[in-house]
Amino acid sequence: TDAEVSTRKKTFAEVQTERLDQAERTVLIKCPSKLNAKKLLQYLTSHGNVKSHFFFENRGINALIEFSEKSSIASLQDAVGIPSASEHHVVPFKSRLFTFTLKNPVSQHAEDTPLHLSPQCHIPVKDLIEKLCLADSISSQMYILLDEYQLTEENIKLRFLACSLVRDFARAYFPDSTVKPFGSSVNTFGKLGSDVDMFLDFRETGKRATKMKKGPFEMEYQMKRLPSERLATQRILSVIGDCLDNFGPGCVNVQKILNARCPLVKFTHQPTGFQCDLSVSNSIATRSSELLYIYGCLDSRVRALVFTVRCWARVHGLTNSAPGTWITNFSLTMMVMFFLQRRSPPIIPTLDQLKELADEKDKHIIGGYDCSFVSDLRKIKPTKNTETLDVLLGEFFEFFGNFDFRKNSINLRKGKEVNKPESSPLYIWNPFEQDLNISKNVNQPQLEKFIAMARESAWILQKEDKTQQMINKEPWGLAALLIPFGKNNSSKMKNRMKGIGSETIRSLLDSLKLNNASSQQKAVGK
């Protein structure tokens, strides 16, 4: 669509700024159970023009309301009271979260037309498989999966609102601060239901620096000094964490994890339903988000392939939401990017090529690392590669099923295999911090399991007879890959394992058992 194309051309920074601004004009309302949407909107319009709105289910019906003007929120807040029933139990923090109940419920009938509720989570895999079987090609199956799993416009608004509400707290201490989402919420690869990673940013954009040059004096604030940036980060997060815990409406299960490599505060934001991770500004993480944003915008096949591979990996227990020796979604995404750089002709450019296109304003040196790359999408030439997703999916499994992981590492800067700098089973260069391996956590059995599953999948795609399977109403194409293997074809699996050493098979089987045991424990724990 045209709208799609015009949003696609915006730079990452433009999209962020626009969304953060939108969030500042937004409120969240817990609605009465017998809701007449027309009446609600009619009332809200008395405070100002409502630019957009949607309803969603989360412990009752909720409405996200975006006003055209920020002043409308103040007008509405003037009309809102403090909960009366428990005057002495409430913490009087006034936010942009409201509860509306009807004064005289009897007289107001709910609407005849049922309310449209925006889904905030994706459908279960078994429902997805049914939908996929109705498609006419693997390519369209992959786009169906993308469509079901990707973040919706509404869900993105909700994510930015969650950040904006946390920012209201931070501003009590640091009036200039902002809270911005990073990672999957903004890099175009986020899946419905994923956590919101957000960070606290104190760097006000360059406008201060220019003002400071004028006048005869060097002028600076007197500020508390601490021996390290890490300590400052820990203190700030500790206080904001306590603040959310003690005063934050709907902030529950607040955990401060201050000794991690990257200190953070985890909490559940009940009003939006998100699991949130708050840390202090991490410029490199922002650059990674923007790099993926660029790759995701360049060609529609990129996101379709990433979503497919990640869903496939999750079904087969190759990834896991608990930290451990599994491959992470970030590593998988980078593997897909690398594969697309290796196609002939390449489908996406290497990071070095993007760096060559960078101009002055794209220059970013962070902690001694060069993180520069072009931000304007129009400067990047579109690919001449016309391969279909049907071809690319099979080729992806072929590529990594036969990749020499023992010798080679994956380098997105150069877009080619490079000798491994050290002996981790899977070595994927961090695109910016060049001495880090983003898949250092992955052990040999997990890598072997990935290779075996990739070979099995390549084999299924090559061997299948689509027409026959469609006649027999059997899952075909992508649908066949999203059903756990080994249910009916463990002997075939053993053939595919030939050439993988027997000691590895033993450790692979152990890891499968472990995986099973841990998922059973998880199920019991729930």
Side-chain angles (χ1 to χ4, degrees):
T1 60
D2 291 344
E4 177 88 338
V5 171
S6 65
T7 55
R8 276 289 170 257
K9 284 296 175 210
K10 286 179 190 147
T11 68
F12 180 75
E14 286 163 355
V15 175
Q16 298 312 335
T17 308
E18 206 171 285
R19 295 256 180 218
L20 287 163
D21 174 60
Q22 205 172 38
E24 288 196 15
R25 295 180 274 105
T26 301
V27 302
L28 196 57
I29 298 172
K30 205 166 188 28
C31 301
S33 51
K34 284 203 160 59
L35 174 68
N36 181 323
K38 215 181 252 145
K39 280 231 163 65
L40 176 70
L41 291 164
Q42 220 168 349
Y43 169 71
L44 290 168
T45 309
S46 68
H47 294 286
N49 183 41
V50 173
K51 192 169 179 189
S52 78
H53 74 279
F54 66 87
F55 296 96
F56 66 100
E57 217 290 324
N58 172 27
R59 308 153 62 119
I61 302 274
N62 299 269
L64 180 142
I65 308 289
E66 181 201 341
F67 286 106
S68 300
E69 301 293 333
K70 213 172 155 179
S71 55
S72 307
I73 295 179
S75 160
L76 176 58
Q77 280 171 323
D78 278 346
V80 173
I82 286 170
S84 51
S86 52
E87 208 70 68
H88 50 295
H89 292 313
V90 298
V91 175
F93 178 80
K94 295 174 179 168
S95 71
R96 289 175 281 147
L97 298 165
F98 313 116
T99 302
F100 282 26
T101 42
L102 290 167
K103 287 178 180 167
N104 40 357
V106 211
S107 66
Q108 304 226 350
H109 290 298
E111 294 173 89
D112 304 328
T113 50
L115 207 51
H116 172 68
L117 297 176
S118 301
Q120 302 304 319
C121 57
H122 62 75
I123 58 174
V125 172
K126 60 175 194 351
D127 300 359
L128 176 67
I129 289 174
E130 285 182 17
K131 281 197 167 188
L132 297 182
C133 291
L134 304 172
D136 57 356
S137 67
I138 289 178
S139 193
S140 44
Q141 286 182 329
M142 289 168 73
Y143 283 119
I144 289 170
L145 182 144
L146 174 62
D147 203 49
E148 289 293 341
Y149 276 46
Q150 69 181 347
L151 301 184
T152 58
E153 174 66 21
E154 291 80 14
N155 190 267
I156 293 171
K157 283 183 175 170
L158 214 45
R159 286 168 186 265
F160 275 86
L161 177 62
C163 293
S164 186
L165 293 167
V166 173
R167 186 218 61 182
D168 291 347
F169 269 98
R171 289 210 168 161
Y173 297 96
F174 308 105
D176 288 340
S177 62
T178 52
V179 174
K180 299 175 180 167
F182 70 97
S184 66
S185 297
V186 296
N187 65 17
T188 74
F189 295 97
K191 168 178 107 169
L192 283 173
S194 62
D195 297 356
V196 180
D197 294 308
M198 44 175 85
F199 67 77
L200 201 50
D201 200 5
F202 306 105
R203 276 182 276 258
E204 268 291 74
T205 38
K207 56 175 183 270
R208 285 264 158 77
T210 50
K211 277 189 190 156
M212 279 164 57
K213 290 200 177 79
K214 294 190 175 127
F217 299 107
E218 285 291 341
M219 301 177 291
E220 59 184 28
Y221 286 104
Q222 294 180 17
M223 288 178 166
K224 199 173 191 71
R225 289 173 190 269
L226 292 172
S228 73
E229 186 182 6
R230 182 173 173 81
L231 188 61
T233 295
Q234 289 169 323
R235 293 219 181 150
I236 290 167
L237 284 174
S238 182
V239 172
I240 304 260
D242 286 339
C243 205
L244 291 169
D245 202 8
N246 290 304
F247 311 142
C251 294
V252 297
N253 311 330
V254 179
Q255 283 171 286
K256 300 195 280 188
I257 307 170
L258 302 179
N259 290 323
R261 190 176 83 88
C262 176
L264 78 156
V265 175
K266 279 178 120 47
F267 62 96
T268 304
H269 190 254
Q270 279 178 332
T272 56
F274 291 123
Q275 191 54 52
C276 304
D277 285 358
L278 174 69
S279 48
V280 166
S281 72
N282 178 342
S283 324
I284 288 199
T286 311
R287 297 302 284 160
S288 297
S289 304
E290 176 164 3
L291 178 65
L292 285 175
Y293 171 85
I294 287 174
Y295 283 148
C297 291
L298 282 180
D299 190 294
S300 64
R301 292 170 292 181
V302 177
R303 293 171 64 238
L305 188 56
V306 169
F307 275 81
T308 299
V309 169
R310 289 197 318 202
C311 182
W312 166 85
R314 189 89 181 91
V315 165
H316 298 296
L318 297 172
T319 53
N320 195 306
S321 47
T325 56
W326 296 277
I327 296 180
T328 61
N329 271 331
F330 184 55
S331 293
L332 268 182
T333 303
M334 289 309 189
M335 288 168 88
V336 175
M337 297 305 155
F338 182 72
F339 164 74
L340 294 171
Q341 290 174 339
R342 301 292 290 135
R343 299 312 290 160
S344 176
I347 292 180
I348 55 173
T350 67
L351 184 48
D352 279 345
Q353 289 164 339
L354 292 178
K355 185 178 145 187
E356 280 163 32
L357 295 169
D359 59 21
E360 243 351 271
K361 69 172 191 323
D362 296 326
K363 291 267 182 289
H364 288 267
I365 310 286
I366 303 167
Y369 296 106
D370 190 344
C371 303
S372 312
F373 55 82
V374 65
S375 56
D376 184 347
L377 292 160
R378 288 166 304 195
K379 291 185 182 165
I380 306 168
K381 287 198 174 65
T383 175
K384 299 233 176 352
N385 182 305
T386 57
E387 292 173 297
T388 64
L389 281 167
D390 303 52
V391 169
L392 290 171
L393 183 61
E395 290 286 330
F396 173 85
F397 294 130
E398 278 287 315
F399 183 79
F400 284 114
N402 299 302
F403 189 85
D404 188 353
F405 288 103
R406 261 176 310 224
K407 182 167 145 283
N408 290 329
S409 64
I410 290 171
N411 187 320
L412 279 93
R413 274 203 164 268
K414 304 195 171 21
K416 56 173 186 270
E417 295 87 353
V418 180
N419 282 344
K420 261 195 220 184
E422 46 98 352
S423 63
S424 299
L426 175 60
Y427 198 104
I428 304 173
W429 296 68
N430 181 314
F432 301 115
E433 294 170 272
Q434 279 289 288
D435 39 11
L436 290 185
N437 170 12
I438 62 172
S439 50
K440 202 175 175 56
N441 64 308
V442 180
N443 64 11
Q444 193 63 32
Q446 287 299 324
L447 177 62
E448 299 288 8
K449 189 177 163 189
F450 171 81
I451 295 168
M453 294 296 180
R455 289 180 180 180
E456 176 72 357
S457 302
W459 189 84
I460 289 174
L461 290 176
Q462 276 163 14
K463 287 282 165 289
E464 74 172 9
D465 177 352
K466 179 175 125 184
T467 334
Q468 199 47 52
Q469 282 166 306
M470 289 178 93
I471 293 167
N472 296 352
K473 298 258 186 292
E474 288 168 32
W476 62 277
L478 176 54
L481 300 185
L482 296 184
I483 296 165
F485 305 149
K487 285 270 195 296
N488 51 7
N489 53 8
S490 54
S491 59
K492 287 188 206 158
M493 191 68 171
K494 287 198 183 83
N495 291 337
R496 223 87 55 243
M497 299 293 284
K498 280 185 183 145
I500 295 182
S502 61
E503 72 293 343
T504 313
I505 292 197
R506 216 166 304 134
S507 60
L508 173 58
L509 291 171
D510 290 344
S511 92
L512 286 169
K513 278 181 200 137
L514 271 174
N515 245 355
N516 248 342
S518 74
S519 54
Q520 275 161 358
Q521 273 171 336
K522 263 180 137 171
V524 172
K526 274 181 182 155

